[in-house]
Amino acid sequence: MRIASLFNTTLEHIESRRWNPYLGISINNKKFTREYLYDFMAWAAVRTKERVAIVIVDIIQHINNLVFDRSKPISAIDKAFRKAEEVRLLCDQAMSALPPQLSEKIVLLDWTDIVYDPFFCHNLQIFKEEYAENDDFRNALIAITKKNLGSIVSRLDEDAIETLSRYLLNELPELATGFMHDGIHYNLNVYPGRIGSIYSELMCLNFFPRIYSRLYIIGNIASVEAYSEEAPDG
Protein backbone atom coordinates (compact mmCIF):
# COMPACT_ATOMS: atom_id res chain seq x y z
CA MET A 1 0.00 0.00 0.00
CA ARG A 2 1.11 3.55 -0.70
CA ILE A 3 0.48 5.85 2.26
CA ALA A 4 -0.58 9.36 1.22
CA SER A 5 -1.41 10.85 4.63
CA LEU A 6 -1.71 9.96 8.30
CA PHE A 7 -3.92 11.20 11.11
CA ASN A 8 -2.94 10.70 14.77
CA THR A 9 -0.28 8.08 14.01
CA THR A 10 3.09 7.55 12.36
CA LEU A 11 4.53 4.96 10.03
CA GLU A 12 6.67 3.74 12.91
CA HIS A 13 3.60 3.14 15.07
CA ILE A 14 1.89 1.24 12.26
CA GLU A 15 4.92 -0.91 11.55
CA SER A 16 5.26 -1.70 15.26
CA ARG A 17 1.70 -3.10 15.32
CA ARG A 18 0.12 -0.63 17.70
CA TRP A 19 -3.25 -0.64 15.93
CA ASN A 20 -6.03 -2.91 14.70
CA PRO A 21 -6.68 -1.75 11.12
CA TYR A 22 -10.07 -1.77 9.50
CA LEU A 23 -11.52 -0.85 6.13
CA GLY A 24 -15.05 0.49 5.87
CA ILE A 25 -16.28 -0.19 2.35
CA SER A 26 -18.63 2.37 0.84
CA ILE A 27 -20.26 -0.12 -1.48
CA ASN A 28 -20.72 2.23 -4.46
CA ASN A 29 -17.13 3.49 -4.31
CA LYS A 30 -15.38 2.11 -7.40
CA LYS A 31 -11.96 2.36 -5.73
CA PHE A 32 -12.73 -0.83 -3.80
CA THR A 33 -11.60 -3.25 -6.48
CA ARG A 34 -10.56 -6.83 -5.79
CA GLU A 35 -6.95 -5.69 -6.22
CA TYR A 36 -7.34 -2.92 -3.66
CA LEU A 37 -9.00 -5.27 -1.20
CA TYR A 38 -6.21 -7.83 -1.62
CA ASP A 39 -3.53 -5.17 -1.18
CA PHE A 40 -5.21 -3.86 1.97
CA MET A 41 -5.61 -7.33 3.49
CA ALA A 42 -2.01 -8.32 2.76
CA TRP A 43 -0.70 -5.00 4.12
CA ALA A 44 -2.87 -4.91 7.24
CA ALA A 45 -2.55 -8.56 8.28
CA VAL A 46 1.18 -8.26 8.93
CA ARG A 47 0.82 -4.93 10.77
CA THR A 48 -2.11 -5.56 13.08
CA LYS A 49 -1.92 -5.83 16.84
CA GLU A 50 -4.65 -8.49 16.95
CA ARG A 51 -7.04 -8.68 14.00
CA VAL A 52 -8.08 -6.87 10.81
CA ALA A 53 -11.69 -6.01 9.98
CA ILE A 54 -13.43 -5.25 6.73
CA VAL A 55 -16.85 -3.65 7.19
CA ILE A 56 -19.30 -3.70 4.29
CA VAL A 57 -21.35 -0.54 4.82
CA ASP A 58 -24.57 -1.91 3.39
CA ILE A 59 -27.80 -0.72 4.98
CA ILE A 60 -27.01 3.00 5.17
CA GLN A 61 -26.26 2.99 1.43
CA HIS A 62 -30.03 3.15 1.03
CA ILE A 63 -29.77 6.84 2.00
CA ASN A 64 -27.72 7.53 -1.13
CA ASN A 65 -30.05 5.38 -3.22
CA LEU A 66 -33.04 7.46 -2.09
CA VAL A 67 -31.42 10.57 -3.57
CA PHE A 68 -29.30 9.48 -6.51
CA ASP A 69 -31.55 6.70 -7.81
CA ARG A 70 -34.79 8.34 -6.63
CA SER A 71 -35.73 4.95 -5.23
CA LYS A 72 -38.62 4.29 -2.93
CA PRO A 73 -37.50 3.26 0.58
CA ILE A 74 -37.95 -0.51 0.19
CA SER A 75 -36.33 -0.49 -3.24
CA ALA A 76 -33.44 1.62 -1.92
CA ILE A 77 -32.76 -0.92 0.82
CA ASP A 78 -33.01 -3.84 -1.59
CA LYS A 79 -30.52 -2.20 -3.96
CA ALA A 80 -28.12 -1.62 -1.09
CA PHE A 81 -28.14 -5.27 -0.04
CA ARG A 82 -27.79 -6.53 -3.62
CA LYS A 83 -24.76 -4.30 -4.17
CA ALA A 84 -23.32 -5.41 -0.84
CA GLU A 85 -23.43 -9.03 -2.01
CA GLU A 86 -21.31 -8.08 -5.03
CA VAL A 87 -18.79 -6.41 -2.74
CA ARG A 88 -18.79 -9.41 -0.39
CA LEU A 89 -17.88 -11.64 -3.33
CA LEU A 90 -14.91 -9.40 -4.14
CA CYS A 91 -13.82 -9.58 -0.51
CA ASP A 92 -14.09 -13.37 -0.46
CA GLN A 93 -12.07 -13.63 -3.67
CA ALA A 94 -9.35 -11.34 -2.33
CA MET A 95 -9.20 -13.18 0.99
CA SER A 96 -8.99 -16.59 -0.68
CA ALA A 97 -5.84 -15.45 -2.51
CA LEU A 98 -4.02 -14.79 0.76
CA PRO A 99 -1.85 -17.34 2.58
CA PRO A 100 -3.80 -18.96 5.45
CA GLN A 101 -1.57 -17.35 8.09
CA LEU A 102 -2.76 -13.95 6.86
CA SER A 103 -6.39 -14.67 5.98
CA GLU A 104 -7.03 -16.11 9.45
CA LYS A 105 -6.37 -12.65 10.92
CA ILE A 106 -9.15 -11.03 8.88
CA VAL A 107 -12.82 -10.77 9.80
CA LEU A 108 -15.46 -9.72 7.27
CA LEU A 109 -18.35 -7.80 8.84
CA ASP A 110 -21.65 -6.25 7.83
CA TRP A 111 -22.70 -2.86 9.19
CA THR A 112 -25.16 -4.55 11.53
CA ASP A 113 -22.26 -6.46 13.12
CA ILE A 114 -20.93 -3.24 14.68
CA VAL A 115 -23.93 -0.99 15.33
CA TYR A 116 -25.41 -2.91 18.30
CA ASP A 117 -22.30 -2.57 20.45
CA PRO A 118 -23.05 -0.40 23.53
CA PHE A 119 -20.39 2.16 22.59
CA PHE A 120 -21.79 2.57 19.09
CA CYS A 121 -25.44 2.67 20.23
CA HIS A 122 -24.79 5.33 22.86
CA ASN A 123 -22.71 7.51 20.56
CA LEU A 124 -25.17 7.28 17.68
CA GLN A 125 -27.95 8.37 20.00
CA ILE A 126 -25.88 11.38 21.09
CA PHE A 127 -25.13 12.38 17.51
CA LYS A 128 -28.78 11.99 16.48
CA GLU A 129 -29.91 14.16 19.39
CA GLU A 130 -27.41 16.84 18.45
CA TYR A 131 -28.38 16.65 14.77
CA ALA A 132 -32.04 17.21 15.69
CA GLU A 133 -31.46 19.96 18.25
CA ASN A 134 -28.17 21.66 17.40
CA ASP A 135 -28.27 23.80 14.25
CA ASP A 136 -24.49 24.31 14.27
CA PHE A 137 -23.82 20.58 14.31
CA ARG A 138 -26.41 19.80 11.65
CA ASN A 139 -25.11 22.59 9.41
CA ALA A 140 -21.54 21.34 9.87
CA LEU A 141 -22.51 17.85 8.67
CA ILE A 142 -24.38 19.33 5.72
CA ALA A 143 -21.34 21.49 4.84
CA ILE A 144 -18.99 18.47 4.98
CA THR A 145 -21.44 16.50 2.83
CA LYS A 146 -21.53 19.29 0.25
CA LYS A 147 -17.74 19.39 0.11
CA ASN A 148 -17.49 15.63 -0.31
CA LEU A 149 -20.07 15.66 -3.12
CA GLY A 150 -17.96 17.98 -5.25
CA SER A 151 -19.44 19.40 -8.45
CA ILE A 152 -22.54 17.20 -8.27
CA VAL A 153 -23.83 19.34 -5.41
CA SER A 154 -25.07 21.95 -7.89
CA ARG A 155 -27.63 19.44 -9.19
CA LEU A 156 -29.13 18.74 -5.76
CA ASP A 157 -31.59 20.76 -3.71
CA GLU A 158 -31.15 21.44 -0.01
CA ASP A 159 -33.55 18.68 1.04
CA ALA A 160 -31.54 16.12 -0.94
CA ILE A 161 -28.27 17.31 0.58
CA GLU A 162 -29.71 17.14 4.07
CA THR A 163 -30.87 13.59 3.39
CA LEU A 164 -27.38 12.66 2.21
CA SER A 165 -25.85 14.17 5.35
CA ARG A 166 -27.59 11.44 7.34
CA TYR A 167 -25.20 8.92 5.80
CA LEU A 168 -22.35 10.74 7.52
CA LEU A 169 -24.43 11.07 10.68
CA ASN A 170 -24.81 7.28 10.86
CA GLU A 171 -21.08 6.77 10.27
CA LEU A 172 -19.93 9.25 12.92
CA PRO A 173 -19.74 6.82 15.88
CA GLU A 174 -17.26 4.71 13.92
CA LEU A 175 -15.31 7.72 12.62
CA ALA A 176 -15.06 9.25 16.10
CA THR A 177 -14.20 6.17 18.17
CA GLY A 178 -13.56 3.18 15.91
CA PHE A 179 -15.64 0.18 16.93
CA MET A 180 -15.66 -2.93 19.09
CA HIS A 181 -16.20 -6.46 17.79
CA ASP A 182 -15.57 -9.66 19.73
CA GLY A 183 -13.62 -7.78 22.38
CA ILE A 184 -11.26 -6.07 19.93
CA HIS A 185 -11.13 -2.32 19.38
CA TYR A 186 -10.66 -1.66 15.67
CA ASN A 187 -9.00 1.72 15.78
CA LEU A 188 -6.97 2.36 12.59
CA ASN A 189 -9.30 3.50 9.82
CA VAL A 190 -7.74 2.84 6.41
CA TYR A 191 -9.39 4.40 3.35
CA PRO A 192 -8.54 5.48 -0.22
CA GLY A 193 -9.30 9.10 0.66
CA ARG A 194 -8.79 11.61 3.47
CA ILE A 195 -11.26 10.01 5.87
CA GLY A 196 -9.47 11.48 8.88
CA SER A 197 -10.15 15.00 7.67
CA ILE A 198 -13.85 14.64 8.59
CA TYR A 199 -13.02 13.91 12.22
CA SER A 200 -10.29 16.55 12.46
CA GLU A 201 -12.56 19.16 10.85
CA LEU A 202 -15.28 18.50 13.41
CA MET A 203 -12.81 18.62 16.31
CA CYS A 204 -11.76 22.13 15.24
CA LEU A 205 -15.30 23.50 15.58
CA ASN A 206 -15.81 25.36 18.84
CA PHE A 207 -19.02 23.53 19.75
CA PHE A 208 -17.82 19.99 19.05
CA PRO A 209 -15.76 19.39 22.23
CA ARG A 210 -18.99 19.62 24.23
CA ILE A 211 -20.53 16.91 22.03
CA TYR A 212 -17.37 14.83 22.23
CA SER A 213 -17.48 14.99 26.03
CA ARG A 214 -20.84 13.15 25.93
CA LEU A 215 -19.47 10.21 23.95
CA TYR A 216 -18.27 6.85 25.21
CA ILE A 217 -14.63 6.78 24.12
CA ILE A 218 -13.17 3.31 23.60
CA GLY A 219 -9.55 4.38 23.20
CA ASN A 220 -7.20 6.14 20.82
CA ILE A 221 -8.00 6.15 17.11
CA ALA A 222 -6.05 6.96 13.96
CA SER A 223 -6.55 6.93 10.22
CA VAL A 224 -4.54 6.32 7.08
CA GLU A 225 -5.12 7.52 3.54
CA ALA A 226 -3.82 4.56 1.55
CA TYR A 227 -3.88 3.47 -2.09
CA SER A 228 -2.76 0.49 -4.10
CA GLU A 229 0.72 1.08 -5.45
CA GLU A 230 -0.45 1.66 -9.01
CA ALA A 231 -3.54 3.74 -8.13
CA PRO A 232 -3.55 7.57 -8.27
CA ASP A 233 -4.53 9.68 -5.28
CA GLY A 234 -7.98 11.20 -5.08
Side-chain angles (χ1 to χ4, degrees):
M1 300 290 283
R2 178 169 53 83
I3 306 303
S5 67
L6 300 164
F7 172 75
N8 203 35
T9 190
T10 65
L11 288 176
E12 291 76 14
H13 288 169
I14 292 171
E15 295 296 332
S16 62
R17 301 180 180 180
R18 292 196 182 187
W19 306 99
N20 290 307
Y22 71 94
L23 181 71
I25 299 180
S26 306
I27 59 176
N28 278 359
N29 188 331
K30 295 181 179 179
K31 293 178 182 177
F32 293 110
T33 62
R34 182 170 55 204
E35 291 73 25
Y36 183 90
L37 295 169
Y38 175 86
D39 288 349
F40 165 75
M41 293 178 190
W43 176 87
V46 297
R47 292 170 174 82
T48 185
K49 180 179 179 181
E50 296 166 283
R51 301 290 297 277
V52 176
I54 294 179
V55 183
I56 299 175
V57 186
D58 46 21
I59 182 62
I60 62 174
Q61 174 60 35
H62 87 277
I63 296 171
N64 292 339
N65 294 343
L66 288 170
V67 174
F68 295 124
D69 298 341
R70 298 182 180 179
S71 301
K72 294 182 178 180
I74 296 300
S75 177
I77 293 171
D78 182 62
K79 287 180 181 179
F81 283 126
R82 282 191 278 113
K83 183 63 177 180
E85 285 304 309
E86 296 176 15
V87 173
R88 178 176 288 277
L89 177 61
L90 292 179
C91 292
D92 288 339
Q93 291 170 343
M95 194 180 303
S96 67
L98 292 170
Q101 65 269 26
L102 297 186
S103 62
E104 67 186 11
K105 295 182 179 181
I106 298 167
V107 58
L108 183 58
L109 305 173
D110 296 318
W111 190 245
T112 52
D113 290 320
I114 73 172
V115 298
Y116 296 112
D117 175 78
F119 286 96
F120 195 106
C121 288
H122 171 84
N123 293 342
L124 181 58
Q125 182 61 35
I126 296 301
F127 285 131
K128 285 185 173 181
E129 288 175 4
E130 294 286 346
Y131 188 91
E133 301 169 6
N134 184 333
D135 289 344
D136 289 337
F137 179 62
R138 182 171 59 258
N139 290 337
L141 295 195
I142 291 171
I144 292 171
T145 299
K146 284 181 176 180
K147 183 169 64 175
N148 290 343
L149 286 169
S151 60
I152 196 175
V153 73
S154 63
R155 305 203 297 270
L156 300 171
D157 61 28
E158 291 300 317
D159 286 344
I161 296 168
E162 182 169 348
T163 297
L164 292 172
S165 74
R166 294 177 182 274
Y167 186 104
L168 174 57
L169 173 65
N170 280 274
E171 279 192 316
L172 271 185
E174 168 254 309
L175 295 178
T177 65
F179 64 90
M180 293 293 297
H181 182 75
D182 280 350
I184 294 175
H185 181 203
Y186 291 94
N187 49 14
L188 180 65
N189 189 349
V190 182
Y191 198 80
R194 294 181 61 85
I195 197 73
S197 66
I198 296 174
Y199 177 75
S200 59
E201 184 173 339
L202 286 172
M203 289 299 290
C204 289
L205 299 175
N206 59 10
F207 61 83
F208 194 74
R210 179 191 61 80
I211 299 174
Y212 186 80
S213 70
R214 301 180 64 197
L215 303 179
Y216 289 167
I217 304 303
I218 308 170
N220 292 331
I221 62 164
S223 64
V224 177
E225 179 187 4
Y227 302 89
S228 295
E229 289 293 342
E230 73 282 0
D233 296 1

